[in-house]
Structures are given as C-alpha cells and as structure tokens.
Amino acid sequence: MLSQNILKSKNFLIYGLGLTGRSVCQFLKKSRTKNIFLWDDNRNLRKKFKIKENSRILKKKINEADFIILSPGISLRKSKYKKTLLKNQKKIITDIDLFFLTKKFFKSIIVTGTNGKSTTCSIIKRVLESSGHNIVAVGNIGKPILDYNFQRNTIAVIEMSSFQLEYSKYLRPNYAILLNISKDHLDWHGTMKNYINAKFKIFSYQNTNDFAYVFDDQRIINLYKRRKFKASLLVVKKNIKKFIKNKIKNNYLKSSNNVENLSFIYLLMKKFKIADKFFFSSLKKFKGLPHRQEVFLKKNKISFINDSKATSFEASKSCLTNYKNIIWILGGLKKDGDRFFLNRIKKNIIKAFIIGKDRNFFKKQLRGKIDYKETLNLKNTVKHIYQELKFISLQKKKERIFVIFSPASASYDQFNNFEERGNQFKKLTINYARKYFRKIKI
C-alpha cells in the first residue's frame, strides 16, 4: 500500500484528460503529489489544460514516470506513441489500481463481462443497501472511484471494462464476477484471445480468502483451473437460473440475460447472508437503467424500447429474443469480428430499419433473412416508422407491436456516445407520437 508521503515523491504521467484523468489529477493534487505531467492526444484539451509540451517531451516524461495512468479508451496497439508506451508497459496502471494502492478498510466486489455489467452492479447496490450495508457503485457506473471519500467498512461495487482490466496490476477484489464473454472490442484488443486474457485479469491478484464467480461454461471453468488462480471458484449452474426465473415478480428482470446475471447476484448474496425472501422482495420495483431495454413509451398496442447500450449483435440479441412483432432499428459503426446469427430471432422481426455509416455491413447480415429499409439516420427512421405503423397494426390486428432501437453497433459515427444516441431516439419518438397518434387510429 502506498502512503500519502510516498505519493508525494513519485512521478505520475496522466495520459488522457477525460473524467477519469481529471479525477486522478485532483486525487494526486490533494495528496500533494508535485510531479504530475498531463497529456491528451486531443489538441483542444491540451489547450484547455494549458499543456504546451510537445511529443518529444512526452516521450521523455513517459520514460521518467514511476506510474502512467492511461485513459481506458486509449489502446496501446493504436497509440501514436506505441513503442515508447510498450517499453514502459509495466508502469501503466488505472485509477482503480491507485484506489487499491492507497485505500484500506473496505470490501470490494468487481463485476466484468461483455453484457449486463451496469445492471448487475446497480442491483447488487440496491440489495446490499436495502439490507443496511454502506455501499457505493463506482468504475464505469457512477462517478470515478477516486472521487469518493470512502468511510471505514465501505463496500465498493466496481464495474470494470476489459480496457481497464488490460492495464490493471494491483486490484484484488474480495468477490470477482465474470458474467459472460462474447466477441466485443476486438478493434481495441486485437484478438479474442487478448480480450479473454483482459477479462481474466479480474482473478489474477485474488488470494485464498477471496471468491471468483463464473458462468457454467466448461471452457471458462477449464481456463480458470489451468491458470491456477487462488480464489475459491463458484460456478453459476443452470438450475439456479430456473429457480430465479420462477421466483421473480418483476417482468423487466425476466429476460434471459437478466435472469443469468441475477443468478450471480443470488450466489453472491449468500456470502452476505441475505435471505431469499428479502432478496426477491428488493427486486420488485427495480426498473432498470436508461438505454438498456428501456420501455419509455406505450401507446395503445405499441411499445417503444430504447436499447441504445447494445453495441454488438450479442447485446441486441438479448432484447430481440424477449419480444415478438418487432420493428428493429439498427446500425452505426460495426464491431470488428461481429456476426449476426438470426435463425432463432428472425421470426420475431417484422421489419428492420438501418442507419449509420456501416449500412452495407448490416444489409449483408440481414439480406435474405429479414425485410429491411435504409433510412440513414434516426430522424428519417422514426418518420418512416410512424408512417408504416397504421398498416403494420392492421396486419397484426390485436397483437402488441414493439419498436426497438437496439443498434448492435458503436455510436461514434453519428453521436458522441450511446447515451446521446438513445436520448435522441426517445426525443424524436415522443415528438412524433404527439402528432401521429392523433391521426392514426390504432
């Protein structure tokens, strides 16, 4: 553990000045660390922080640094300063590492996986908070971890992406949860093997008093055992999923993906001695998080669902499996290595509308399987959908129709992030609803 005095004498390079970088900077300044060098590849941010140094000085500072806090969004494989950073890779840590190095008297639950991390962390927080525990949810959910003033015996529920895990070297969760693994972020990690290795770092620094949770997949179990991790391994079996699905009273949580994630939480709660009755009662009013299968408008027989967080087909499939009579909006920037396996869900989809930069990729995935139309952007798409709703509803008569925005892609071609993308879809939909539901008798 690093003391405040040791921090003062170390050289820190903060590379990337987004939320995480600024949080680390504030933390180090409060610790009276004097040798802090700031850098961002974005010239406008460098101007904002009055950084006048050039790339030659940056390379020198990288070599001189004791610790390099690299923004999770920066890939070593694509960085302009790849060679220098790779030479100094042992120095690279995350803000979460810094938290583990400087804090004490806390328990930690770290959650990772391709899909469902944020919802899982939110439910863990809800259940433990309801049972009287002092708990905060941090990492990719909530504020950066170093912004919190942790009290004694606080439980930290930490959502960690594969980006953060790739660089981590000092985290040691008391409870480590790997929810699932499917193809994602291959443009960042390079290969599926690298992606899996990053996810498995969640277990690397645990000891024999800690617990590791994985789903019932023999490949994952074998991989865990081959690496000889020290924590006690707990496997989420299929019978737990069936038991939970029968007990849940909240329809939102009955989707297959949510049931699987709840199975992890259920096993975890046993370690905190949470009774079944209390566990299930605390789930009744959970409404989910924005942009994750979010039902934001119901009008007569039509429901509108914002699933903007779905940035891969695997994430979209979770939503598309749960409904029938779907009008599906998808498209944006395709994920490297992503493929669409539509056989089990194509019967659920009436028509698809394709937007975004990589439309040719999405057309190829749907061609011959699902009827589709190119509509370029969300504004055009929502307009077309409202024009067709009358005819679709007449065909389906009394059946419920679901308009689902689940892009199966990244957002950066047309939006800054998935939140902006989802909010625009909701705004456009509600604006059109005010006009069209008066005209169309459904």
Side-chain angles (χ1 to χ4, degrees):
M1 180 169 290
L2 293 176
S3 68
Q4 300 295 320
N5 287 330
I6 293 175
L7 278 182
K8 290 179 188 177
S9 63
K10 298 295 181 182
N11 295 321
F12 280 87
L13 167 63
I14 301 173
Y15 192 141
L17 298 173
L19 281 177
T20 300
R22 294 197 295 270
S23 170
V24 173
C25 186
Q26 289 173 359
F27 175 79
L28 291 175
K29 283 181 178 178
K30 285 180 183 177
S31 303
R32 297 182 182 178
T33 305
K34 294 178 181 178
N35 301 319
I36 306 170
F37 181 79
L38 305 179
W39 182 264
D40 197 288
D41 291 337
N42 186 311
R43 186 177 294 174
N44 292 329
L45 274 176
R46 293 204 300 273
K47 285 182 180 179
K48 182 180 177 180
F49 285 87
K50 299 178 181 178
I51 300 169
K52 296 179 181 179
E53 287 81 357
N54 55 36
S55 58
R56 182 181 58 80
I57 296 174
L58 171 63
K59 289 177 183 178
K60 182 182 176 184
K61 292 292 184 181
I62 290 172
N63 289 321
E64 290 176 352
D66 295 302
F67 293 104
I68 301 167
I69 314 288
L70 200 62
S71 169
I74 297 170
S75 171
L76 284 181
R77 295 169 184 85
K78 293 185 176 182
S79 173
K80 182 180 176 181
Y81 308 102
K82 175 182 175 179
K83 287 185 179 179
T84 311
L85 287 168
L86 285 173
K87 285 179 184 176
N88 293 274
Q89 195 168 2
K90 290 181 180 179
K91 301 175 183 178
I92 298 174
I93 63 171
T94 68
D95 61 324
I96 297 172
D97 283 320
L98 200 53
F99 172 79
F100 274 87
L101 283 168
T102 57
K103 303 291 182 181
K104 54 184 178 179
F105 306 127
F106 71 94
K107 284 187 176 181
S108 60
I109 302 164
I110 296 185
V111 178
T112 196
T114 306
N115 299 307
K117 299 183 290 295
S118 296
T119 299
T120 301
C121 288
S122 296
I123 295 173
I124 290 171
K125 181 177 186 293
R126 183 188 186 93
V127 176
L128 289 178
E129 208 166 45
S130 299
S131 62
H133 290 279
N134 182 19
I135 184 165
V136 294
V138 290
N140 278 351
I141 184 171
K143 295 190 293 185
I145 194 167
L146 294 173
D147 287 0
Y148 284 90
N149 183 19
F150 276 74
Q151 300 173 359
R152 192 180 181 92
N153 298 324
T154 298
I155 300 173
V157 180
I158 306 169
E159 177 190 333
M160 287 194 74
S161 68
S162 56
F163 306 155
Q164 292 165 308
L165 286 164
E166 173 92 5
Y167 299 142
S168 291
K169 295 178 177 66
Y170 296 101
L171 60 89
R172 204 218 85 193
N174 301 106
Y175 307 90
I177 297 175
L178 174 58
L179 295 172
N180 47 61
I181 295 180
S182 58
K183 281 186 179 180
D184 203 1
H185 302 308
L186 299 192
D187 55 335
W188 196 96
H189 289 283
T191 66
M192 190 65 184
K193 182 180 178 181
N194 290 338
Y195 179 57
I196 291 171
N197 286 339
K199 289 294 188 187
F200 264 72
K201 284 187 76 176
I202 194 174
F203 308 121
S204 295
Y205 309 110
Q206 289 185 291
N207 64 32
T208 53
N209 297 322
D210 301 320
F211 299 93
Y213 297 79
V214 301
F215 52 101
D216 194 4
D217 183 318
Q218 202 56 51
R219 292 169 299 177
I220 297 297
I221 295 167
N222 290 342
L223 191 54
Y224 183 94
K225 290 179 178 178
R226 279 202 302 272
R227 297 192 180 194
K228 298 181 179 179
F229 294 125
K230 295 178 181 178
S232 299
L233 179 64
L234 297 169
V235 179
V236 176
K237 300 287 187 181
K238 291 179 180 178
N239 62 328
I240 298 175
K241 290 167 61 177
K242 187 176 180 180
F243 166 74
I244 286 174
K245 190 169 185 177
N246 291 334
K247 287 280 187 180
I248 294 171
K249 304 299 181 184
N250 184 336
N251 287 331
Y252 171 80
L253 292 173
K254 285 193 173 183
S255 70
S256 58
N257 205 46
N258 280 331
V259 169
E260 183 171 281
N261 294 340
L262 280 171
S263 303
F264 284 89
I265 301 170
Y266 178 77
L267 278 187
L268 174 69
M269 291 305 106
K270 292 297 179 186
K271 295 297 177 186
F272 287 87
K273 296 184 169 34
I274 305 292
D276 284 13
K277 186 177 180 180
F278 182 87
F279 174 72
F280 289 108
S281 66
S282 65
L283 301 177
K284 284 182 182 178
K285 294 182 180 180
F286 184 78
K287 294 181 180 179
L289 300 175
H291 313 294
R292 297 156 176 89
Q293 300 188 34
E294 176 191 8
V295 182
F296 66 94
L297 178 64
K298 288 183 180 180
K299 198 73 175 177
N300 301 339
K301 305 191 308 290
I302 304 170
S303 294
F304 296 85
I305 299 173
N306 167 31
D307 193 35
S308 178
K309 180 64 171 67
T311 56
S312 66
F313 172 69
E314 193 66 27
S316 289
K317 188 174 74 172
S318 172
C319 186
L320 299 172
T321 303
N322 296 328
Y323 301 96
K324 295 181 179 179
N325 299 325
I326 295 170
I327 298 172
W328 181 21
I329 308 166
L330 74 158
L333 285 177
K334 66 182 177 68
K335 287 292 186 77
D336 285 1
D338 207 5
R339 291 180 62 194
F340 287 27
F341 298 97
L342 297 165
N343 288 342
R344 293 186 179 181
I345 60 171
K346 63 184 181 181
K347 65 181 184 298
N348 296 348
I349 301 166
I350 301 168
K351 190 168 184 174
F353 291 85
I354 300 174
I355 66 170
K357 181 181 178 181
D358 290 330
R359 294 187 302 282
N360 287 336
F361 167 80
F362 294 100
K363 286 193 293 182
K364 185 178 179 181
Q365 300 299 316
L366 270 56
R367 191 173 291 130
K369 300 171 185 175
I370 293 170
D371 183 27
Y372 67 83
K373 184 180 183 70
E374 282 186 80
T375 42
L376 306 183
N377 58 50
L378 278 177
K379 187 174 182 179
N380 289 341
T381 303
V382 173
K383 183 178 179 180
H384 277 285
I385 285 172
Y386 273 104
Q387 288 170 348
E388 294 194 24
L389 274 174
K390 181 178 180 180
F391 306 104
I392 292 171
S393 61
L394 285 173
Q395 290 173 352
K396 294 300 176 181
K397 295 182 180 179
K398 294 182 179 180
E399 295 180 63
R400 179 163 287 281
I401 297 164
F402 297 90
V403 179
I404 298 178
F405 179 41
S406 188
S409 63
S411 59
Y412 307 119
D413 58 330
Q414 295 182 335
F415 304 94
N416 290 320
N417 49 53
F418 73 85
E419 292 96 340
E420 183 183 288
R421 177 170 69 178
N423 287 332
Q424 187 183 97
F425 172 64
K426 291 195 289 184
K427 182 179 179 180
L428 288 167
T429 300
I430 291 167
N431 285 343
Y432 271 95
R434 293 186 181 122
K435 303 174 187 176
Y436 278 81
F437 277 107
R438 292 176 184 174
K439 297 178 183 179
I440 301 173
K441 294 182 180 180
I442 301 175

